[in-house]
Amino acid sequence: MSTAGKVIKCKAAVLWDIKKPFSIEEVEVAPPKAHEVRIKIVATGICRSDDHVVQGTLPTPLPVIAGHEAAGIVESIGEGVTTVKPGDKVIPLFTPQCGKCRICKHPESNLCVKNDLQSPLQGTLQDGSRRFTCRGKPVYHFLGTSTFSQYTVVDEFSVAKIDAASPLEKVCLIGCGFTTGYGSAVKVAKVTQGSTCAVFGLGGVGLSVIMGCKVAGAARIIGVDINRDKFAKAKEMGATECISPQDYTKPIEEVIKEMSDGGVDFSFEVIGRLDTMVSALLCSHDSCGVSVIVGVPPGSEQLSVHPFELLTGRTWKGAIFGGYKSKDSVPKLVADFMNKKFSLDPLISNVLPFEKINEGFDLLRSGKRSVLSFFLCMHPYHPNIWERLDAVPVTVF
Ligand code: COD
Ligand code: ZN
Ligand code: ZN
């Protein structure tokens, strides 16, 4: 029976209050209006910004269905939708690409004005309304994506069609973490052949920066982290050496400058701390270095540096979503993945059934990135056994 045009009742993780666990609820998902797309989510990653919502450091109206790093299949489309059709595999885009605004027309910039990244977030689709209800109450959207739900509705410019053969439990990371890091190297910094790079923070996003530096032909990639357990994987991904600031008495930027003939060509801050943003800037060469801010500190904090640090010729920059125009670039990145240009496996610590979302967040807080799958379901008689399903049952009204 077709679900198109009907309200779908399905499972979602609703955040009713900050600093509280997600509650797995039955929600109603309204059909897509004109220029909207309803997607059956197959897999969703858990990203740091989702945790910032839980912690209250990314102010969002509540109750909310968070989640913004996912992959799924189009269930139905609203009037006027032309770029995707039911059955297409897709990735929702938390940074939209309307194609019409000043930023979309700018050759380099990517933060389309239709984004919902301002503070506080609006928590609706473009027409200002919502498609979710739970226990009779409307529920807010998150970054136009809301992927912690079996079904979600997005605006057409917030979804990209991808290769029909792509493994959704992997390519979901192209919806945020991987692309944010990889693009910071290849697109934002534009790392050059034979260059020296320093990457501060060796979590999943930092590893993606390393992959980007390697693909771009960097000769040396210096990984920096206070957790030495992160070094082995960073080296596997292409770091040529790894150091911990805790092993030195002098500031880490001085150590890196000595290692790199006065400073690296490209540096990246992938932690989200003010002190490491300044260290990353200062370890780049004072006349030709480029330093990229990838992390965002929770809350509203201010940076401070002496203007002379930039006057000598350094470049300090940042970008959301790796600087990529989302709707154009996501299908190409998926194609690169399918052509084995890079691997996503090292970024995924666990694949968990969707119901284990709160455990996934605990794992994130211990430095492990999980992917939640809607295709893993509890065995009816053995609660500790989870089975892969080809289809997830839903109720249609
Ligand atoms: N010095 C060196 N390393 C440190 C320090 C320190 N003082 N403190 C922490 N670290 C290391 C940790 O040991 C850890 O290995 C690493 O830094 C951080 O890794 P994770 O796993 O916590 O983080 P990631 O890789 O998942 O994500 C990092 C970001 C900073 C990119 C992320 O948290 C963030 O700020 N995202 C927002 C940016 C953005 O683009 N948002 C849009 C949608 S998400
Ligand atoms: Zn994210
Ligand atoms: Zn736009």
Side-chain angles (χ1 to χ4, degrees):
M1 185 181 55
S2 167
T3 48
K6 295 171 184 155
V7 170
I8 290 180
K9 274 198 178 194
C10 67
K11 199 165 39 181
V14 178
L15 186 74
W16 292 95
D17 217 340
I18 59 164
K19 297 187 175 148
K20 291 273 154 56
F22 289 91
S23 160
I24 303 287
E25 305 267 3
E26 185 175 75
V27 297
E28 291 90 36
V29 186
K33 292 189 182 172
H35 307 293
E36 293 176 359
V37 178
R38 190 160 60 182
I39 305 168
K40 177 179 182 171
I41 298 293
V42 171
T44 176
I46 302 177
C47 171
R48 188 68 54 186
S49 301
D50 298 313
D51 197 35
H52 289 170
V53 171
V54 178
Q55 302 306 331
T57 47
L58 181 56
T60 312
L62 298 169
V64 67
I65 295 178
H68 61 285
E69 180 185 75
I73 297 167
V74 174
E75 173 270 340
S76 64
I77 54 175
E79 225 181 284
V81 170
T82 56
T83 55
V84 295
K85 58 178 188 316
D88 283 348
K89 283 192 179 173
V90 290
I91 288 183
L93 308 168
F94 75 88
T95 306
Q97 186 185 351
C98 78
K100 293 183 184 147
C101 74
R102 176 181 170 187
I103 302 304
C104 284
K105 287 185 177 153
H106 190 286
E108 285 298 316
S109 200
N110 74 327
L111 195 57
C112 171
V113 301
K114 301 287 187 189
N115 77 75
D116 189 16
L117 286 154
Q118 74 284 356
S119 184
L121 308 183
Q122 192 178 333
T124 64
L125 294 182
Q126 278 302 312
D127 74 349
S129 64
R130 296 172 267 173
R131 302 289 166 273
F132 298 113
T133 48
C134 180
R135 301 192 208 175
K137 286 198 188 113
V139 177
Y140 284 96
H141 292 245
F142 177 61
L143 303 182
T145 47
S146 292
T147 61
F148 293 160
S149 177
Q150 229 172 346
Y151 285 82
T152 190
V153 179
V154 304
D155 290 289
E156 185 181 7
F157 49 59
S158 297
V159 60
K161 180 179 171 173
I162 57 167
D163 188 331
S166 17
L168 301 183
E169 282 167 10
K170 294 184 184 183
V171 299
C172 60
L173 294 192
I174 292 176
C176 184
F178 168 77
T179 309
T180 298
Y182 187 81
S184 298
V186 304
K187 179 98 177 71
V188 184
K190 297 190 171 38
V191 167
T192 50
Q193 191 83 31
S195 60
T196 298
C197 302
V199 182
F200 286 65
L202 303 175
V205 183
L207 293 178
S208 307
V209 173
I210 292 176
M211 286 191 240
C213 294
K214 192 176 173 193
V215 163
R220 280 179 78 192
I221 304 170
I222 304 166
V224 183
D225 203 299
I226 45 172
N227 182 353
R228 301 182 65 87
D229 294 345
K230 304 276 176 167
F231 292 180
K233 206 174 240 181
K235 286 186 178 162
E236 230 175 87
M237 304 318 301
T240 51
E241 53 234 281
C242 288
I243 55 175
S244 167
Q246 292 168 340
D247 292 342
Y248 301 90
T249 48
K250 58 178 144 187
I252 196 68
E253 56 269 28
E254 295 303 325
V255 176
I256 297 172
K257 276 159 95 171
E258 278 168 23
M259 289 167 76
S260 59
D261 190 18
V264 298
D265 300 293
F266 302 99
S267 68
F268 302 86
E269 201 280 352
V270 207
I271 303 165
R273 291 176 56 97
L274 299 188
D275 58 344
T276 43
M277 285 176 190
V278 174
S279 294
L281 175 75
L282 298 181
C283 84
S284 71
H285 196 281
D286 59 5
S287 46
C288 64
V290 175
S291 188
V292 180
I293 291 177
V294 186
V296 178
S300 47
E301 295 182 68
Q302 304 284 311
L303 274 163
S304 164
V305 294
H306 194 283
F308 206 72
E309 304 298 355
L310 299 173
L311 205 63
T312 52
R314 282 191 182 99
T315 305
W316 206 5
K317 57 199 304 199
I320 299 281
F321 202 51
Y324 283 114
K325 288 188 189 291
S326 57
K327 195 149 172 146
D328 290 348
S329 305
V330 159
K332 291 182 193 156
L333 286 165
V334 170
D336 286 347
F337 168 76
M338 298 301 279
N339 291 327
K340 302 198 169 16
K341 193 165 172 186
F342 54 82
S343 165
L344 293 167
D345 292 339
L347 308 182
I348 304 169
S349 310
N350 304 281
V351 180
L352 301 173
F354 178 70
E355 289 79 353
K356 300 217 168 194
I357 183 167
N358 289 312
E359 286 172 40
F361 272 80
D362 289 342
L363 287 164
L364 179 84
R365 291 168 198 139
S366 71
K368 294 194 175 104
R369 211 177 181 95
S370 305
V371 167
L372 303 173
S373 170
F374 280 101
F375 277 40
L376 287 174
C377 275
M378 200 189 286
H379 190 283
Y381 308 116
H382 305 282
N384 291 324
I385 300 177
W386 295 81
E387 296 178 325
R388 290 194 65 87
L389 295 184
D390 285 325
V392 182
V394 290
T395 322
V396 178
F397 285 79

